């Protein structure tokens, strides 16, 4: 089947087998942040955005992405690096295998939920499994990130300059 899609704002046109999964196609194209952790749609490691919404790329046939926009961690590198600093400050990056999918979901949550409660954060990230930790470091990193970005956005909206923030 012939497909055309945009990955991180670059167009890709190919012929693919109907059963090719988006995860496999993305990795074939060099997007190594997208990984397979379970093959059962339970771990969240393969999370990407399809037209701005999170999807598990291991469960999406690439033909379903035909005509759509896909964003991987490489496509949100600036935001990902910013959140990754918060993770590192809390010692929450551990082995890093699950980090790309986790970060994709955190960034989506930050856009979708304005002032999430602890319970809302846990529910939003329930599909992300990490085998290295008890999640407390990640939750601290998320709270700190959300607090810092929300405070920065409020100051930017007022036209104030924040030292050291771009």
């Amino acid at each position: 089947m012939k497909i055309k899609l945009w990955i991180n704002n670059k167009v890709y046109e190919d012929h693919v087998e109907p059963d090719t999964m988006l995860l496999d196609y993305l990795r074939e194209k060099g997007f190594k942040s997208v990984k397979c952790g379970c093959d059962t749609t339970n771990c969240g490691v393969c999370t990407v955005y399809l037209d701005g919404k999170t999807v598990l790329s291991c469960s999406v046939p690439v033909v379903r992405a035909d005509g759509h926009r896909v964003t991987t961690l490489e496509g949100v590198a600036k935001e990902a690096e910013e959140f990754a600093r918060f993770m590192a400050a809390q010692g929450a990056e551990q082995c890093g295998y699950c980090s790309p999918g986790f970060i994709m979901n955190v960034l989506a949550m930050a856009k979708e939920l304005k002032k999430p409660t602890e319970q809302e954060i846990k529910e939003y990230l329930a599909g992300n499994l990490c085998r290295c930790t008890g999640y407390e470091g990640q939750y601290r990193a998320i709270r700190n990130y959300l607090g810092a970005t929300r405070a920065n956005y409020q100051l930017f909206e007022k036209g104030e300059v924040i030292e050291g923030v771009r």
Side-chain angles (χ1 to χ4, degrees):
M1 298 185 75
K2 185 172 179 170
I3 61 165
K4 178 181 180 179
L5 64 151
W6 290 259
I7 304 171
N8 301 332
N9 295 319
K10 181 180 175 193
V11 69
Y12 289 80
E13 294 185 69
D14 281 302
H15 289 278
V16 296
E17 294 297 319
D19 62 346
T20 302
M21 295 312 237
L22 181 57
L23 169 111
D24 299 320
Y25 182 80
L26 291 169
R27 289 195 57 83
E28 177 186 302
K29 296 301 175 189
F31 299 100
K32 300 302 182 188
S33 70
V34 185
K35 302 174 193 164
C36 181
C38 68
D39 271 335
T40 59
T41 69
N42 286 314
C43 72
V45 173
C46 66
T47 301
V48 298
Y49 302 153
L50 183 60
D51 292 335
K53 300 287 185 189
T54 57
V55 297
L56 299 174
S57 63
C58 72
S59 66
V60 176
V62 71
V63 295
R64 202 173 114 210
D66 183 33
H68 296 277
R69 296 186 176 277
V70 176
T71 307
T72 68
L73 189 69
E74 292 88 350
V76 291
K78 182 180 175 187
E79 297 91 343
E81 288 172 18
E82 182 182 358
F83 177 66
R85 285 193 293 274
F86 284 86
M87 293 270 289
Q90 294 299 322
E93 72 281 1
Q94 304 292 325
C95 81
Y97 191 80
C98 67
S99 294
F102 183 78
I103 290 171
M104 293 295 285
N105 271 316
V106 168
L107 296 177
M109 179 188 62
K111 290 178 183 173
E112 186 178 320
L113 305 178
K114 296 303 175 203
K115 291 184 180 181
T117 65
E118 189 80 16
Q119 186 61 34
E120 288 173 319
I121 292 170
K122 289 179 180 181
E123 287 172 7
Y124 200 97
L125 300 173
N128 289 94
L129 299 180
C130 175
R131 292 167 177 92
C132 298
T133 185
Y135 298 100
E136 290 310 310
Q138 283 94 335
Y139 291 135
R140 284 191 307 272
I142 291 167
R143 285 191 302 272
N144 291 343
Y145 172 74
L146 291 175
T149 55
R150 297 290 182 240
N152 291 344
Y153 291 142
Q154 289 171 355
L155 291 174
F156 282 135
E157 287 172 2
K158 293 178 185 177
E160 297 179 31
V161 177
I162 304 167
E163 193 68 33
V165 177
R166 293 177 239 160

